[in-house]
Amino acid sequence: MKKIFSFLLLACAYISVHAQEYFTITQYDVAVHVNKDASLDVDETIHVHFTEPRHGIIRLIPYKYPLQQLPAGTEKANRQLESGGYAHTMVENIKVDAWEFDVSTEGDYKSIKIGSGDKTVDGDQVYAIHYRMLNAINFFDSHAELYFNVIGDRWETTIDSVNFSVVFYDALPATQEYFVATGATGSRENNTTSNWIDNKTFSGHTNTGLGYHEGLTVGIVIPKDFLVQQNYNLIGIWWLLLPVGVFASMLAAWRKWGKDEKPVVQTEFYPPG
């Protein structure tokens, strides 16, 4: 019983998205950088106000999404890494400025536990999170689409204000079609002021706060061939290619250094007896 009680105390040491009474988010800033190889570099700055001492927060980032049945006649995106009824992305290079953190996988999410088990914090705190996301762009025959949840719907607290931007690696040929949605899952309401600053940067901010389980999604149409789609299908089976690489290296080394020299037979002449 003591072990179980100790485990429960440790599990409660961190503020998760379920501990709504312990903190609010006063400001949430998100910058999404779209690279030519279709990867996304994401920078999040979360301003948190704790109402009592706690050890930190947990940020959940989804990395797989249930596949939805498309209406008849709808073009299916040319996506990779689809299996078991899910579309998979990859979340890499996770970093947190100035805080201890730990990353694990929890269901459909990457869980970033931020804070120290030895210290508590109170009042206003700032958490800056950085990560790269792969396979997050939908490619079609005539164009590509960015569909990104700038603020996910897993926060069980209020978010007073959101500032967001999407910056492309280079200027687009023209400002592109877009949409922004705020609120609960499935909402089409756009409670933001948002627009293109120029052909490279789309940005906006919320006009009012977000409530419990409310998020913010941005979609942008991208011209064909502006991004280069990568092949991620071999990433999970790279180890199968390892023996081939080792054999090729050994063969090259043998050809260079390991061949035995042909024996030279020297003819000796003796004077007649």
Side-chain angles (χ1 to χ4, degrees):
M1 179 62 71
K2 288 183 177 179
K3 289 183 177 179
I4 294 175
F5 183 70
S6 298
F7 173 79
L8 291 175
L9 284 178
L10 181 61
C12 292
Y14 285 85
I15 296 294
S16 75
V17 292
H18 302 289
Q20 59 187 22
E21 67 271 27
Y22 296 134
F23 73 98
T24 59
I25 297 175
T26 57
Q27 184 174 317
Y28 205 136
D29 300 329
V30 182
V32 182
H33 305 270
V34 183
N35 303 310
K36 187 173 184 178
D37 64 0
S39 64
L40 307 178
D41 288 320
V42 184
D43 300 313
E44 299 184 2
T45 305
I46 309 173
H47 299 256
V48 174
H49 178 75
F50 290 96
T51 56
E52 62 180 72
R54 289 289 152 175
H55 290 267
I57 65 170
I58 294 177
R59 169 71 171 102
L60 297 177
I61 302 175
Y63 75 95
K64 63 178 185 177
Y65 305 83
L67 292 171
Q68 305 294 328
Q69 186 172 1
L70 297 175
T74 302
E75 181 184 3
K76 185 180 183 300
N78 177 21
R79 288 185 59 89
Q80 301 174 56
L81 305 180
E82 292 186 355
S83 63
Y86 283 88
H88 296 253
T89 63
M90 290 169 283
V91 183
E92 301 182 338
N93 301 340
I94 298 174
K95 299 177 183 178
V96 180
D97 294 347
W99 294 93
E100 295 180 23
F101 70 98
D102 179 70
V103 179
S104 60
T105 300
E106 185 177 305
D108 298 346
Y109 297 84
K110 292 295 182 181
S111 174
I112 310 173
K113 184 183 290 185
I114 308 172
S116 170
D118 300 324
K119 299 186 227 177
T120 60
V121 294
D122 198 1
D124 295 327
Q125 305 295 331
V126 179
Y127 299 94
I129 306 170
H130 315 278
Y131 56 92
R132 170 166 287 193
M133 184 171 287
L134 308 179
N135 200 40
I137 300 290
N138 293 320
F139 285 87
F140 298 91
D141 290 341
S142 61
H143 65 285
E145 291 180 3
L146 169 67
Y147 186 92
F148 190 76
N149 293 322
V150 175
I151 305 293
D153 62 359
R154 289 296 302 270
W155 291 105
E156 292 191 9
T157 187
T158 57
I159 302 175
D160 295 344
S161 175
V162 177
N163 300 302
F164 60 92
S165 64
V166 179
V167 182
F168 289 85
Y169 72 92
D170 199 359
L172 294 157
T175 56
Q176 300 296 308
E177 182 182 354
Y178 70 89
F179 81 90
V180 180
T182 56
T185 301
S187 170
R188 295 179 178 272
E189 179 184 6
N190 178 9
N191 190 17
T192 72
T193 298
S194 49
N195 213 329
W196 289 96
I197 295 178
D198 50 36
N199 287 16
K200 187 177 180 180
T201 304
F202 179 82
S203 70
H205 60 83
T206 52
N207 296 324
T208 60
L210 299 175
Y212 300 99
H213 291 287
E214 291 188 340
L216 190 157
T217 300
V218 171
I220 297 176
V221 176
I222 303 168
K224 181 179 174 63
D225 298 330
F226 186 79
L227 302 180
V228 179
Q229 185 175 20
Q230 306 299 301
N231 185 358
Y232 298 117
N233 289 319
L234 295 179
I235 288 181
I237 59 172
W238 65 269
W239 56 272
L240 293 175
L241 303 177
L242 185 60
V244 178
V246 172
F247 175 76
S249 299
M250 293 176 65
L251 180 61
W254 178 79
R255 284 179 172 174
K256 185 173 183 180
W257 295 295
K259 283 187 176 181
D260 294 330
E261 295 183 2
K262 292 182 179 180
V264 177
V265 180
Q266 183 175 355
T267 304
E268 297 185 9
F269 296 92
Y270 296 92

